[in-house]
Amino acid sequence: MGRQRIFSGVQPTGNLHLGNYLGAIRNWVEIQSQFDNFFCVVDLHAITVPHKPETLAQDTYAIAALYLACGIDLEYSTIFIQSHVSAHSELTWLLNCITPLNWLEDMIQFKEKALKQGENVGVGLLDYPVLMASDILLYQTDKVPVGEDQKQHLELTRDIVNRFNHFFAKPDQRVLKLPEPMIRQEGARVMSLTDGTKKMSKSDPSEMSRINLLDPPDEIAKKIKRCKTDPIRGLEFDNPERPESNNLLTLHMLLSGKTKEEVATECQEMGWGQFKPLLTDTVIEALKPIQDKYQAVMNDKSYLESVLRHGKHKAEAIANQTLTQVKAAMGYSMPL
Ligand code: AMP
Ligand code: TRP
């Protein structure tokens, strides 16, 4: 038996922040050698809210470069761009037609984003989870490593598989594989620097709410200096009354590589004035190798292009196979 397959992706909208890194990419890097991995830059998802055509291509390349900079290894993993493999759009159409409208209307992320968009909600925003299901299902994926916020979309993906197989698969022939979410406890939900009860997000209007992977050291220092704290001396994990304390200690723990016990002991007597410089050093030190590697990759455009060209071919071969099986199961004639 071959290795189990992993699929995951990030949207090229804005900079990657510590939530994306700790909730998703860092976990991909840690487990990649045990799986056959596909990591996609989901640029079709990026246009489900208003986007800038002038920067879309550049932002897409930047995310691919960050995958490499964070340690995605081409020996185990394939990196590619969603819009380069047309099967993603085509499977979305087919699955749209078997997905009940009310399943999509119930998605938390849709409701939240629709509220933010006001009048300007495109059909694509509602359809976002079907495109995500198509991403996953084209590769006969076993496991999908994501942050906690994507759990509901994974459940929907599983519902679509069951519905598809119920309508169209013969009992002895599986067309779509049922994928499992893979959500790590620690880092699954990195919170905003300005409000420990809200998740760190690319779409928060305030830059001060997040630390981006490419922030220079002085910017990191400034954000941590101004971040929200509480008036209590001594830091602790897991006190629901102190979300900022839990969040910042968790960041320190994950980025320093120390255990929870070590960090709890190290910081239990500390005031915020002592902890903040410590956290600043930890973050700057953890991000430096990523930033250096990112610069090196971005300075070698032809290398990045060759990675993405190779990724497209590898992804396309598998995706087209699944698409053909889906169309056959739905009763389509094959192209002549
Ligand atoms: P997105 O930024 O929406 O493209 O998300 C890319 C990946 O990062 C997904 O796996 C998300 O679950 C994860 N993610 C985004 N924000 C956070 C956060 N604040 N904490 C943990 N994971 C996150
Ligand atoms: N919706 C995911 C997010 O915002 C991104 C994504 C798109 C994704 N397609 C995917 C994640 C497939 C995992 C698998 O985080």
Side-chain angles (χ1 to χ4, degrees):
M1 281 297 284
R3 292 169 193 271
Q4 285 204 319
R5 184 161 293 148
I6 276 194
F7 186 100
S8 197
V10 172
Q11 300 184 64
T13 41
N15 261 315
L16 287 191
H17 52 67
L18 283 180
N20 299 128
Y21 180 59
L22 297 173
I25 302 173
R26 192 187 63 124
N27 303 326
W28 308 351
V29 170
E30 272 182 29
I31 56 174
Q32 63 183 333
S33 66
Q34 303 159 46
F35 295 92
D36 173 26
N37 314 277
F38 284 79
F39 297 122
C40 183
V41 185
V42 292
D43 57 349
L44 297 171
H45 280 102
I47 66 164
T48 56
V49 292
H51 81 287
K52 291 202 194 87
E54 315 84 61
T55 57
L56 181 61
Q58 192 187 319
D59 293 346
T60 303
Y61 272 59
I63 300 288
L66 271 171
Y67 284 180
L68 290 165
C70 289
I72 297 299
D73 184 339
L74 299 173
E75 187 180 338
Y76 310 111
S77 305
T78 303
I79 297 176
F80 74 103
I81 294 174
Q82 189 185 31
S83 66
H84 292 182
V85 179
S86 60
H88 291 249
S89 305
E90 197 171 346
L91 183 60
T92 301
W93 177 255
L94 300 174
L95 296 182
N96 271 341
C97 296
I98 64 151
T99 305
L101 184 57
N102 65 324
W103 288 7
L104 298 179
E105 286 166 339
D106 285 344
M107 293 288 112
I108 297 165
Q109 201 169 80
F110 169 69
K111 287 193 245 181
E112 283 175 0
K113 288 190 181 176
L115 212 61
K116 268 191 211 157
Q117 294 302 320
E119 300 267 284
N120 196 6
V121 177
V123 175
L125 190 64
L126 181 70
D127 205 24
Y128 177 116
V130 182
L131 178 58
M132 178 162 163
S134 301
D135 297 341
I136 296 166
L137 299 176
L138 280 173
Y139 299 89
Q140 305 289 343
T141 301
D142 295 287
K143 299 218 150 72
V144 185
V146 282
E148 176 72 33
D149 60 341
Q150 295 303 311
K151 197 165 165 206
Q152 198 186 30
H153 289 158
L154 260 298
E155 279 158 13
L156 180 95
T157 302
R158 290 170 59 86
D159 290 341
I160 291 177
V161 172
N162 288 330
R163 196 168 163 91
F164 183 92
N165 286 337
H166 173 73
F167 283 140
F168 302 117
K170 303 204 172 66
D172 54 339
Q173 166 210 34
R174 190 206 66 210
V175 182
L176 297 174
K177 191 170 210 172
L178 200 61
E180 309 262 350
M182 205 180 195
I183 299 170
R184 289 263 296 266
Q185 270 307 308
E186 264 112 23
R189 226 174 138 73
V190 174
M191 310 311 277
S192 157
L193 294 186
T194 46
D195 179 351
T197 62
K198 265 185 17 198
K199 75 167 184 172
M200 187 177 283
S201 159
K202 287 173 184 169
S203 60
D204 192 311
S206 167
E207 268 298 320
M208 297 306 286
S209 70
R210 59 185 161 260
I211 294 175
N212 298 313
L213 297 190
L214 298 176
D215 280 347
D218 56 341
E219 187 80 17
I220 295 171
K222 187 173 87 186
K223 287 178 178 175
I224 294 177
K225 202 163 174 191
R226 298 208 195 141
C227 77
K228 183 163 182 230
T229 56
D230 57 31
I232 303 169
R233 198 187 160 77
L235 279 89
E236 56 187 327
F237 283 106
D238 301 322
N239 180 344
E241 312 272 289
R242 304 186 65 194
E244 286 80 20
S245 168
N246 185 62
N247 187 42
L248 298 175
L249 280 186
T250 304
L251 290 182
H252 179 52
M253 170 183 84
L254 293 172
L255 294 172
S256 66
K258 291 180 185 158
T259 64
K260 192 166 176 179
E261 290 70 35
E262 283 170 336
V263 168
T265 315
E266 182 187 16
C267 304
Q268 65 188 351
E269 311 275 314
M270 276 187 191
W272 288 102
Q274 203 182 351
F275 175 72
K276 281 185 170 188
L278 175 69
L279 178 63
T280 304
D281 288 346
T282 303
V283 175
I284 291 173
E285 205 176 306
L287 295 188
K288 176 147 193 341
I290 295 176
Q291 298 183 345
D292 290 349
K293 177 105 195 272
Y294 173 80
Q295 281 314 330
V297 176
M298 286 307 265
N299 289 339
D300 190 353
K301 191 106 191 273
S302 66
Y303 168 69
L304 186 57
E305 283 171 356
S306 78
V307 168
L308 294 172
R309 202 175 305 120
H310 176 74
K312 169 193 151 83
H313 289 308
K314 206 166 153 204
E316 202 163 46
I318 298 171
N320 285 344
Q321 230 176 357
T322 303
L323 184 64
T324 302
Q325 286 165 5
V326 166
K327 288 170 84 173
M330 292 180 83
Y332 279 96
S333 65
M334 288 302 125
L336 299 172

